[in-house]
Amino acid sequence: MRILVTGAAGYIGSALVKALAGHEVVATDQSAPAPIIGNIAYPQFARSLITPDIDAVFHLASLVSGGAEQNFELGTKVNLDATRDLLEACRHAGRCPKFVFASSIAVYGGVDEVTDETSVAPRLSYGAQKLVCEILIDDYTRRGYVDGRALRLPAVLVRPGSPNTAVSGWTSALIREPLAGRDYVCPVRPDTRLACISLKKVIEGFVHAATLPADRLGARRTLLLTGISVSAQQMWDAVKDKATGKVRFAPDPAIQPLMDRAPKKTFSKRSLDLGFPASASIEEIVREYEEAALAHHG
C-alpha cells in the first residue's frame, strides 16, 4: 500500500512510520526528519500530498492544545482547514482512500469519566477544531469520498525528547525527566488525574483502525480509545525507585484549572469490542517506554 502520514516527525507520527515498515510510506511534516518537508497550513501543499495512488492517509499533523489556544488563527488553519484540504484532495482524486484521523478527548469538557455515551462539549479551540473534523470525516465517508476512521486519543505517554505545547505535556515529563537524571518541577498537584494510554497501544490502535472492515464501523466513524486514570503521584511512584532525578510539585495557575476540567478516565466498550487495545497500568506504560528507549539506543 502507498500510505501518506502527516505529522510524521512528531512522536506519534515517527513511531507510526516505523510500524508501517513494509508499505510505501509518504511521510511529511514541517521539519526534519520527515522526507517531505512542508507546512500543511498552506492549502496548495496540503492538497499536493494526495495523489491518485494514495491508498491510505494517517492525518496526525496538528497544533496541539496549548498552541491552538494561544494562536487561534494558526490553530484553525492547521487543525481544521488543513484537514478539509486533505479531504477535498481525496474527493478530487476519486480513489476513496482510508482516512485515519487523530482526534482527541479535548472534544469533551468538564467531565471526569468519559464513555461512548458522553456528549461532546469542547472547552478549548483545539477540541472544537477536532470535533468539526470528525463530523466532516463522517460526511465525506457517507458520500463515498473517503473511508474515514477517527480516534479520540487520551493523553499519550511517554513522549521522548523535549515537550511540545500540549497542556498535558507534564505527564510525559514527570516520567521521562527523572529517569534521565534530570530534576523536574511538576506544574500540577500530586492528586491530579488524567486519562492515559501508552504510545505503543496508540500505534497498535491506528494500524488496527486502518484494517477494520468498514461494515463493522457503520456510519459513526469516530471511536474513543480507553484511557486509564492515573494521578501525577502514581506516575512519579512508578519511576521513583529507578529515577536519579527528583520531582517537586508546584501547581501552575495556568495549567491546574485546565487539568481539573480534563477527563480523568475514558472507557469505550465499542472500541474494546472492535479489538482496540488499552493500557493495563501506569507500570506497563513505563515498562513499554523503557523497552522502546533500550531498543532505540541498542
Side-chain angles (χ1 to χ4, degrees):
M1 282 173 77
R2 187 168 165 86
I3 300 170
L4 170 68
V5 178
T6 73
Y11 108 92
I12 298 175
S14 54
L16 178 62
V17 169
K18 275 200 194 95
L20 294 172
H23 296 286
E24 188 185 345
V25 177
V26 179
T28 181
D29 209 319
Q30 58 182 350
S31 61
I36 299 171
I37 294 177
N39 189 341
I40 203 156
Y42 292 100
Q44 296 86 344
F45 176 70
R47 291 184 184 219
S48 74
L49 295 169
I50 305 288
T51 48
D53 55 353
I54 294 284
D55 300 299
V57 177
F58 286 90
H59 179 34
L60 274 53
S62 70
L63 181 66
V64 287
S65 47
E69 205 54 26
Q70 284 152 10
N71 190 334
F72 178 72
E73 282 189 20
L74 184 61
T76 302
K77 275 199 171 102
V78 174
N79 297 335
L80 175 54
D81 299 344
T83 306
R84 192 167 166 270
D85 286 326
L86 290 171
L87 288 168
E88 275 293 274
C90 290
R91 177 170 78 89
H92 290 298
R95 276 286 305 279
C96 190
K98 293 251 172 67
F99 193 98
V100 186
F101 178 64
S103 190
S104 165
I105 60 170
V107 299
Y108 307 102
V111 190
D112 280 358
E113 294 202 8
V114 171
T115 66
D116 294 322
E117 284 72 47
T118 306
S119 54
V120 290
R123 298 278 194 278
L124 291 169
S125 296
Y126 175 71
Q129 291 149 2
K130 290 288 187 186
L131 182 56
V132 175
C133 293
E134 291 176 1
I135 295 167
L136 286 173
I137 288 164
D138 276 358
D139 196 47
Y140 275 68
T141 299
R142 180 182 67 82
R143 300 188 69 108
Y145 302 143
V146 298
D147 178 0
R149 292 102 204 275
L151 300 185
R152 288 178 182 161
L153 305 182
V156 183
L157 276 54
V158 175
R159 184 189 173 85
S162 56
N164 63 1
T165 60
V167 288
S168 58
W170 59 269
T171 52
S172 287
L174 185 48
I175 294 164
R176 179 188 66 236
E177 298 301 293
L179 282 177
R182 294 186 289 264
D183 292 348
Y184 181 63
V185 179
C186 182
V188 297
R189 293 186 316 271
D191 65 340
T192 306
R193 291 186 163 271
L194 207 56
C196 301
I197 191 169
S198 72
L199 174 62
K200 183 169 185 252
K201 298 291 189 286
V202 162
I203 299 304
E204 288 168 9
F206 274 121
V207 173
H208 185 58
T211 55
L212 265 181
D215 58 1
R216 290 197 63 199
L217 288 165
R220 279 174 45 236
R221 291 309 179 94
T222 297
L223 289 147
L224 168 68
L225 291 193
T226 293
I228 55 170
S229 184
V230 187
S231 72
Q233 184 66 52
Q234 287 171 319
M235 292 174 198
W236 172 224
D237 288 345
V239 298
K240 200 187 276 178
D241 294 343
K242 298 171 274 198
T244 48
K246 293 185 187 64
V247 166
R248 184 166 63 80
F249 293 93
D252 179 330
I255 292 177
Q256 188 68 59
L258 290 175
M259 290 301 104
D260 290 342
R261 288 200 300 270
K264 316 282 180 271
K265 178 184 182 184
T266 61
F267 177 78
S268 171
K269 184 178 185 303
R270 183 178 176 223
S271 72
L272 293 171
D273 287 350
L274 285 168
F276 284 88
S279 291
S281 64
I282 184 60
E283 289 76 19
E284 180 191 75
I285 293 174
V286 170
R287 189 167 64 248
E288 287 176 4
Y289 169 64
E290 291 178 309
E291 285 167 2
L294 279 174
H296 181 70
H297 296 305

